[in-house]
Amino acid sequence: MLDDLSLTVMRAERLAGATGGVVEETVARVGGGALPLAELPSFACAVEEELAAIPGVTGVTSALVPLLAGNNWGTDVHVQGFPSGPDVDNNSRFNEVGAGYFATMGLTIRSGRDLEARDLAQSAPHVGVVNEAFVRELMDGESPLGR
């Protein structure tokens, strides 16, 4: 059950004396009632569709851990064909994000593609986007595409 949900909006804003920045605003909080976790994907999709319909909105996506939250998830990651075990540091930080996350945030993907709605379906094969440090440290610099 999800007892409390915040809808956080990120917007780019020109800051005084700077070339640009990001401002995080919590614009809605759903609390008091409970939303079963199984209903969260359809609820989030409906919210994203409504936000996208607002005039002037150029992109909408989601992240389980907001960009400026100062928090993250992490766990050991085991990549097939690469070393693992008690003496190997395979720890990595991650986040669960929505379709178009990287494009919406203005981030460039050097190889591969952004996440799409089809990737988020329960029946979809597991996909991910990794950064260069992950490739260098956990994959010995080999391409992660198709793995």
Side-chain angles (χ1 to χ4, degrees):
M1 298 292 275
L2 180 68
D3 291 320
D4 193 19
L5 171 70
S6 290
L7 172 61
T8 301
V9 172
M10 308 291 289
R11 64 180 166 87
E13 184 174 88
R14 194 168 290 284
L15 301 175
T19 58
V22 176
V23 175
E24 179 178 353
E25 298 178 13
T26 301
V27 295
R29 181 172 287 272
V30 177
L35 179 67
L37 287 178
E39 294 178 20
L40 183 58
S42 60
F43 176 77
C45 184
V47 170
E48 287 180 15
E49 287 175 4
E50 287 190 34
L51 288 172
I54 297 172
V57 171
T58 58
V60 176
T61 191
S62 60
L64 199 51
V65 179
L67 182 64
L68 301 177
N71 199 357
N72 59 52
W73 284 348
T75 191
D76 282 349
V77 176
H78 303 284
V79 181
Q80 187 175 359
F82 295 93
S84 64
D87 297 330
V88 178
D89 181 9
N90 287 346
N91 196 269
S92 184
R93 301 288 170 217
F94 61 92
N95 195 358
E96 185 175 318
V97 299
Y101 178 83
F102 298 95
T104 302
M105 298 307 294
L107 302 171
T108 301
I109 295 179
R110 292 185 182 225
S111 182
R113 62 176 175 79
D114 204 340
L115 297 172
E116 299 172 354
R118 65 185 167 109
D119 297 321
L120 307 177
Q122 289 290 335
S123 60
H126 294 272
V127 298
V129 177
V130 297
N131 65 13
E132 292 173 330
F134 182 97
V135 172
R136 185 176 53 253
E137 295 171 20
L138 297 175
M139 301 187 74
D140 293 328
E142 293 187 23
S143 174
L145 296 180
R147 297 185 154 178

